[in-house]
Amino acid sequence: MTATRTGRQRRRQTPPDLPQNEAATLRQRLSRWDLKYSPYLYISPFFLLFLLVGMFPLAYMLIVSLHNWNLLTGAGDWVGFANFSTELKDPLFWNSVRNTFSIFLLSAIPQLIAATTIAAILDRNLRAKTFWRLSVILPYVVTPVAVALIFSNVFSEKYGLANTLLQHFGFNDIMWKTETLPSHLAIATMVNWRWTGYNALILLAAMQAVPRDIYESAAIDGAGAFRRFFSMTLPSIRPTMIFVIVTATVGGMQIFTEAKLLNPSSSVPGGPQRQYQTAVLYLWDLAFNRQNFGRAAAVAWLLFILITAVGTLNFLLSRRIASAGDGRAEKRGRIRQARILAERGAANKAAAALAAEGGASTETSDRTKGVER
Amino acid sequence: MTTPRGIRRRRPSYERHHVSGVERRPGWFVYVLLVTILVASTYPLWWSFLVGSSDSTVLTRDWPPLLPGSLFWHNVSEVVNTVPFWKALMNSIFVSSVITFSVVMFSTLAGFSFAKLRFKGRGGLMVFVIATTAVPTQLGIIPMFILMKQFGWTGSLGAVIIPTLVTAFGVFFMRQYLVDVIPDELIEAARMDGANMIRVFWNVAVPAARPAMAILGLFTFMTAWTDYLWPLLVVPQNPTLQVALAQLQSARYVDYSIVLAGAVLATLPLLIVFVVAGRQLISGIMAGAVKG
């Protein structure tokens, strides 16, 4: 107690920014060091570990990719970029890239539309809203392996739930694990089932940040629910939309578990004819079944570049599309804003008039605006 | 055209509220949609339980069963006999707990430093952290595997834990939270009172960061718990729960009801988390959206 008090008094006498004289006590010097080096000390565990387990492996991967490297015998000769050129000429590599994109598109696009719709529904003034929100994210707590196991049975070609239901509607059985497009659909369904609700909640959070009275004013101006959604809600949630799209891209490019577990009886991961072998699954097969680490490392680098490129492209695209829409919306917005302001002026005057009459309208309007969200 | 609008505008605001319809309770159609969504998100799990509690001949019936059968515990004992379920469960709890502790600890420490302390290179280093949140580190499995093999760590749980001891996202998340939540004056005052930095961290930053730490912990735990690719590589003989579950499928892929009983059994721990901490999960996802 006394120590702290004297410490405080001393620091008041010598502001810390003054050049330090010889008379500085040990305590002051320690305090200065503390101030100067503590920040580095606190970030160092993160950076040391991150460099060790995050960055160093990526650099090491480059070395591996430039060698003949076998899973069992280890490093072989230096081959330069031969592994890269072999891969770029390998039809199996391109097959896996095609499959990845196909599955990605089949999952990302319906998922985004569904998530936005669900978010818009949850954004309404619902009864028991926590219950509905919970129901939407329930699939998120089912792990991808369990999801894959469940849907592997749902899409079983014989006696699977999907085919049983299709039969009742008079359709033929679909070969979910044999044909290319159906297998992609099956994998996309697993991804969508787990992630749609999660993304819906993220978008919902963004929608709730839009001030309510803007909607009110637009509604008074005669904008219907759809109009409000497309020209007000969508532009407002743009940054979050971009975030969701980029995350979905980076995740979608790395699909592994769902494709690996779709058909356990296939000895080749990704289907007997590699119908649904994704890029990461190809990488896995190359490294641990075909034991060619050098080429697998090259594939990893190529994927790395691909993911970054597609992620960036999506970012730029979605920003452009959104901002193009936004530009138009902005123009309309300015007109609307002018109207709102004019109207508010009128409303205030009306409120003042009412207040003069002894009405309690302003109080009521405050309460309705603060309606529990 | 203009007349009705003019009339509307002159209505007092409490009445206008009803006219606009923005905050009105939605009609039955919306609830029909919601129930559809509810069915879509719960039925696959419920169906798994139905099949997992029967024998697999129920699948050959024309319609899926409506009520659970009586064989769930029998199927569960088959699961436990086929794969080392309890050991895998313990392994998963251990691995996920250690990773969660480490990520939350180091992220809070670094996040506090980035948010509230001034030092040279802070901006540059923060940009580096943000940039690396998008790096797909999962692609580093090959070099990581070579290293683990060289050190002779394959087969031990340490090999599962080490690659995810820290995440760039965690640091970013804590930094975003702490930058708003702790007033600079509070740190100044603590320093004035003679508290050194580590005491400021423990007594000012950690209490303030607790809600964010809980959210980060929840999600880190979930991520570690659901990971499959890396554990499958390094600990196939000493499996985590996900690896064991997948082994169940390849060992018993003919007997669907046992596989599905296993899937339901393995989902139970997270269902408990869901029931207990569902609200936190929701607010966590929604907070991450606003912050991230």
Side-chain angles (χ1 to χ4, degrees), chain A residues 298-359:
Chain A
V299 170
W301 265 110
L302 291 172
L303 281 182
F304 188 87
I305 295 164
L306 190 75
I307 292 172
T308 316
V310 175
T312 315
L313 190 74
N314 267 351
F315 173 72
L316 294 175
L317 264 180
S318 49
R319 205 172 58 165
R320 232 180 118 189
I321 293 169
S323 65
D326 206 36
R328 266 181 280 127
E330 215 172 283
K331 209 170 176 187
R332 260 176 297 174
R334 246 178 280 129
I335 299 166
R336 197 188 310 125
Q337 212 166 22
R339 249 193 256 158
I340 291 169
L341 284 177
E343 186 205 321
R344 269 198 196 145
N348 284 344
K349 264 180 227 157
L354 274 173
E357 281 169 34

Side-chain angles (χ1 to χ4, degrees), chain A residues 34 40 125 135 143 153 168, chain B residues 23 41 62 120 197 242 256:
Chain A
D34 186 29
Y40 297 105
N125 188 15
S135 82
T143 67
N153 291 334
H168 283 295
Chain B
E23 292 295 337
S41 63
D62 265 3
K120 255 191 210 138
M197 271 303 171
Q242 305 310 312
Y256 290 136

Side-chain angles (χ1 to χ4, degrees), chain A residues 69-278:
Chain A
W69 200 302
N70 184 279
L71 166 64
L72 301 174
T73 58
D77 298 332
W78 167 274
V79 293
F81 285 93
N83 286 325
F84 287 87
S85 59
T86 316
E87 279 313 313
L88 288 173
K89 274 182 263 168
D90 193 331
L92 292 182
F93 170 70
W94 290 110
N95 172 58
S96 74
V97 171
R98 248 193 329 271
N99 288 340
T100 307
F101 271 97
S102 165
I103 294 170
F104 163 63
L105 290 178
L106 284 174
S107 58
I109 294 170
Q111 195 186 126
L112 267 177
I113 296 172
T116 315
T117 315
I118 293 172
I121 293 173
L122 291 176
D123 194 33
R124 303 287 298 271
N125 188 15
L126 296 173
R127 290 177 201 281
K129 60 179 186 213
T130 307
F131 171 77
W132 299 115
R133 286 178 190 179
L134 281 173
S135 82
V136 157
I137 52 151
L138 176 71
Y140 178 68
V141 302
V142 185
T143 67
V145 172
V147 171
L149 255 53
I150 292 170
F151 280 89
S152 168
N153 291 334
V154 167
F155 290 114
S156 170
E157 293 173 350
K158 240 184 180 180
Y159 310 132
L161 180 65
N163 276 349
T164 308
L165 292 179
L166 280 175
Q167 277 168 12
H168 283 295
F169 290 105
F171 293 100
N172 287 332
D173 280 358
I174 291 177
M175 297 290 110
W176 297 106
K177 299 180 182 180
T178 319
E179 286 173 35
T180 307
L181 191 61
S183 64
H184 292 186
L185 267 176
I187 293 167
T189 308
M190 298 184 195
V191 178
N192 290 342
W193 187 68
R194 184 156 191 263
W195 287 103
T196 304
Y198 181 89
N199 284 329
L201 280 196
I202 291 183
L203 292 171
L204 173 65
M207 287 181 188
Q208 304 231 305
V210 183
R212 295 285 133 177
D213 48 348
I214 296 183
Y215 287 128
E216 290 276 335
S217 312
I220 293 155
D221 284 356
F226 280 94
R227 181 79 194 284
R228 286 202 300 270
F229 179 75
F230 282 105
S231 55
M232 301 177 76
T233 313
L234 278 188
S236 319
I237 61 169
R238 176 186 120 189
T240 312
M241 201 69 151
I242 294 173
F243 170 77
V244 169
I245 291 173
V246 172
T247 328
T249 312
V250 175
M253 293 282 117
Q254 300 183 72
I255 290 175
F256 170 79
T257 307
E258 292 84 353
K260 179 156 198 308
L261 298 177
L262 178 65
N263 185 358
S265 58
S266 164
S267 58
V268 180
Q273 279 87 46
R274 302 172 194 267
Q275 306 95 310
Y276 50 92
Q277 186 172 66
T278 60

Side-chain angles (χ1 to χ4, degrees), chain A residues 5-21:
Chain A
R5 199 171 297 145
T6 50
R8 176 197 249 165
Q9 282 162 355
R10 203 175 295 144
R11 212 162 289 118
R12 284 211 179 126
Q13 284 155 10
T14 49
D17 284 343
L18 281 185
Q20 196 51 164
N21 53 34

